[in-house]
Amino acid sequence: MPADRLPLAALVLSAGRGTRLEPITRLVAKPAVPLGDTTLIERVLGWLRRSGVRDVVVNLHARPATITRVVGDGAHLGLSVRYSWEPKALGSAGGPRRALPLLATDPILIVNGDTLADVDLAAMLDAHRQSGADVTMALVPNPAPEHYNGVAIDEDGRVTGFVPRGQAAGTWHFIGVQIAAASVFANLCDGEPVETVSGIYRDLIVSRPGAIRAWRATGAVLDVGTPRDYLDAALSFVTHRADRHPGARLRHTFVWPEAAVGAGADLDQCIVAGPVAIPAGFTAAESVIVPASVLQPDDVADVRDGLAVFPLSR
C-alpha cells in the first residue's frame, strides 16, 4: 500500500454525553474541548491523517454543533469528513451500525473521539488481516485496574473476556482503537442502542473463540476522562505561555481561548471554561470555573460574580 494512504475508512465515536467531564461538557461536546491551541477531536483527526487515513465519519449526538463548527468537512485537516447523526445515543455498537452506509471500506477503523492514542495503524491492520479476526482491539497493560475495566487475553493474543474494574489486576486496557469487519455490526437493528464490550463482543467471544484479538500497542495514550485528567492533558499541550492575562497569577491553570482573567486574580490548579471573565481579585483553587448559566438544580458549586465554581475533584 502507498506509505501515505491507509485503505481504511475511520469512524470517530463522538456521540457520548461525556458525563465524567461535567460541568465542562455542558458547554461543548467532550471531543471539542480545547487542548492547547486546538481541540481534542482535531488532534485525533490529525493523527488519523498522519497515519494515512483520508475518509472519516464522525457520529454525533450530544452538542453536535460544537464539533461540526471546528471540523467542518475536514478539508483544512486534509480529510474528507462526513457525519452520522444519532437522534438518541446508540452506543459503541449501535453507532457503527448507523454509520455503516457511510463507511466505504471493510474492515473499518473505529476510534474514540475523546482519547488520544498513538497507535501504529499500518502495523495493526497487517496483524488484523493475518489473524483472520473479526475484531482487533488495541490494548496496553492496565495502568489502573481499580479505575479501568480490564480485557483478558490468552497467550496467543485472543481476547477471552472482559473484567470489571476493581477485579482487573493483571489485565489489559482497551485504548479506544479497533479494526472491525463490517459484518460484526451489519445484522444489528439500525436505531437501537447496543454496546460492544458489554454486549455483542461478549457474545462473539462465546460463539466464535478467537474472533476478537488483541494488538499490543506501545505508543502514548492520553486520557481526558475527568476534569483533573483534562487539566493535566490540556497543560501538556501548552507550548508557550504568552501573558494573555497580565497581572493575574495562574498556577497549573488552563484558561480557554475565549475566557479572560482580570488583573489580581489568583487561580491555582483551575480550569477556566467557556466565554467567562474572571474579575480582578477573584481567587480559586482546584476548581472548574464555568458560566453560572450552566448550573443545574442538584449542583454543589460556589456561585459568585456570575460564575459557578465546581471542585476539580468532581
Side-chain angles (χ1 to χ4, degrees):
M1 73 185 70
D4 63 344
R5 191 173 183 93
L6 198 66
L8 281 175
L11 172 63
V12 180
L13 298 176
S14 301
R17 293 183 178 88
T19 53
R20 285 200 303 150
L21 199 57
E22 285 196 345
I24 294 166
T25 44
R26 297 179 192 175
L27 299 167
V28 299
K30 187 176 178 182
V33 297
L35 284 181
D37 58 358
T38 189
T39 61
L40 172 55
I41 192 166
E42 288 173 290
R43 292 188 183 277
V44 172
L45 293 174
W47 161 66
L48 290 174
R49 171 65 176 79
R50 292 189 299 275
S51 297
V53 175
R54 296 294 181 272
D55 298 314
V56 176
V57 174
V58 178
N59 71 339
L60 300 173
H61 173 68
R63 306 193 183 282
T66 63
I67 293 175
T68 58
R69 73 181 176 216
V70 297
V71 174
D73 64 2
H76 67 293
L77 299 168
L79 299 169
S80 171
V81 176
R82 292 179 290 172
Y83 296 97
S84 177
W85 167 245
E86 298 179 14
K88 61 179 179 181
L90 297 177
S92 54
R97 170 61 187 88
R98 165 59 59 92
L100 276 184
L102 300 175
L103 294 162
T105 65
D106 190 0
I108 57 177
L109 172 67
I110 304 172
V111 302
N112 290 355
D114 60 2
T115 305
L116 276 175
D118 185 13
V119 174
D120 184 340
L121 292 180
M124 185 177 175
L125 177 60
D126 286 343
H128 175 80
R129 287 172 165 168
Q130 291 172 17
S131 73
D134 290 334
V135 179
T136 299
M137 304 174 69
L139 307 176
V140 297
N142 197 327
E146 72 288 348
H147 180 65
Y148 295 119
N149 296 329
V151 181
I153 65 175
D154 66 16
E155 59 185 11
D156 293 323
R158 298 179 298 184
V159 172
T160 58
F162 303 101
V163 185
R165 62 185 179 186
Q167 306 172 33
T171 63
W172 293 74
H173 173 54
F174 175 49
I175 58 174
V177 178
Q178 56 186 313
I179 297 173
S183 60
V184 172
F185 309 103
N187 292 328
L188 299 176
C189 293
D190 184 22
E192 292 298 318
V194 187
E195 300 297 331
T196 51
V197 169
S198 61
I200 63 171
Y201 284 7
R202 292 181 184 274
D203 297 337
L204 189 56
I205 288 170
V206 173
S207 65
R208 200 165 92 79
I212 304 179
R213 299 191 67 91
W215 195 80
R216 297 173 178 87
T218 57
V221 181
L222 189 65
D223 178 21
V224 294
T226 67
R228 192 175 293 276
D229 293 333
Y230 170 54
L231 174 59
D232 292 339
L235 289 174
S236 74
F237 286 100
V238 176
T239 56
H240 60 87
R241 293 185 177 274
D243 192 1
R244 291 176 46 230
H245 312 285
R249 188 181 185 197
L250 306 178
R251 288 160 289 157
H252 200 77
T253 290
F254 183 66
V255 181
W256 281 21
E258 63 265 39
V261 182
D266 188 339
L267 304 180
D268 182 15
Q269 299 186 64
C270 292
I271 301 166
V272 182
V276 297
I278 306 297
F282 190 97
T283 64
E286 297 198 30
S287 300
V288 179
I289 305 170
V290 295
S293 59
V294 307
L295 279 169
Q296 297 178 357
D298 295 331
D299 284 337
V300 177
D302 180 19
V303 182
R304 46 195 164 110
D305 298 305
L307 304 170
V309 183
F310 288 80
L312 183 63
S313 59
R314 179 184 173 86

